[in-house]
Amino acid sequence: FTHGMIDYTSKLVYSGESGAINESLADMFGKMLEYKTDPANFSWDLGHSFLLNPDSQPFRVMDDPNSLEMPAYYQGLYWEGEGGVHTNSSIGNLWFTMLVDGKQGVNEMGTNFDVPALGVDKTGQIVFQVNRYYLTESSNYAAFYQYSLAMAEALYGAGSTELQAVAEAWKAVGVSATANTT
């Protein structure tokens, strides 16, 4: 369902970084629905409701992608060069969870970060509006970075906590305006 929404808004092509963002946005929108409709069973694990035995693993763990050998840092450990839409989507997923829940730590490049929690409503508003009004079929992570900052500033102001949180979460996952395209 959420991929269909993306097809009729940003139209992100399903390959390379635009495909990873497409997959990530679909995960984000799905998790927003789960958070709102089934909060008692909410989890950042994708596919947790389908796990039939204790040895099964979820498809993705949005707040801990390294646990399934998916990247937590742009072009870092576990990054897949060409393609990898399901794997490289973890960058956007982790960014999203940090904005919703907040997170402090050190990323794999040794950079400290401190992302204040915005909650699912504010984070969802930023992400939905970026998808609807800014992203195009060939957008990459650098574009997602720039557009999300622009949207946070438009919605909450130039000196806002929300804008600072968006920037800090991107720093945590290693994305900037100069992120390389693959």
Side-chain angles (χ1 to χ4, degrees):
F1 173 75
T2 57
H3 279 294
M5 184 180 70
I6 295 162
D7 286 346
Y8 286 95
T9 52
S10 59
K11 299 177 172 68
L12 286 157
V13 173
Y14 202 74
S15 72
E17 285 192 28
S18 62
I21 295 166
N22 184 318
E23 190 67 30
S24 182
L25 289 171
D27 292 348
M28 292 176 203
F29 296 143
K31 284 299 178 179
M32 284 189 278
L33 287 170
E34 180 183 333
Y35 183 87
K36 292 291 189 176
T37 61
D38 193 12
N41 293 307
F42 177 79
S43 166
W44 287 122
D45 295 354
L46 268 68
H48 65 93
S49 62
F50 301 112
L51 301 179
L52 300 177
N53 69 59
D55 296 327
S56 297
Q57 292 185 338
F59 306 128
R60 287 184 280 287
V61 179
M62 291 178 67
D63 63 341
D64 184 15
N66 281 171
S67 69
L68 295 180
E69 296 186 358
M70 294 181 177
Y73 193 83
Y74 180 75
Q75 295 189 341
L77 182 65
Y78 305 123
W79 179 265
E80 290 187 15
E82 293 299 317
V85 297
H86 292 101
T87 301
N88 296 343
S89 65
S90 64
I91 298 300
N93 288 353
L94 181 56
W95 170 82
F96 180 78
T97 68
M98 288 180 182
L99 287 174
V100 171
D101 294 339
K103 188 169 185 176
Q104 297 175 329
V106 179
N107 67 23
E108 71 182 59
M109 297 305 287
T111 303
N112 293 319
F113 62 86
D114 184 359
V115 182
L118 300 183
V120 74
D121 292 332
K122 284 184 177 182
T123 304
Q125 184 179 33
I126 293 166
V127 170
F128 182 80
Q129 300 299 338
V130 167
N131 178 62
R132 184 173 179 200
Y133 294 113
Y134 286 102
L135 293 174
T136 65
E137 60 188 33
S138 61
S139 291
N140 60 19
Y141 274 114
F144 194 7
Y145 165 88
Q146 291 173 318
Y147 298 149
S148 62
L149 290 174
M151 183 54 67
E153 184 173 343
L155 291 170
Y156 301 106
S160 66
T161 299
E162 293 82 0
L163 176 59
Q164 293 169 2
V166 169
E168 193 71 6
W170 282 126
K171 179 176 86 172
V173 299
V175 175
S176 69
T178 59
N180 295 325
T181 59
T182 57

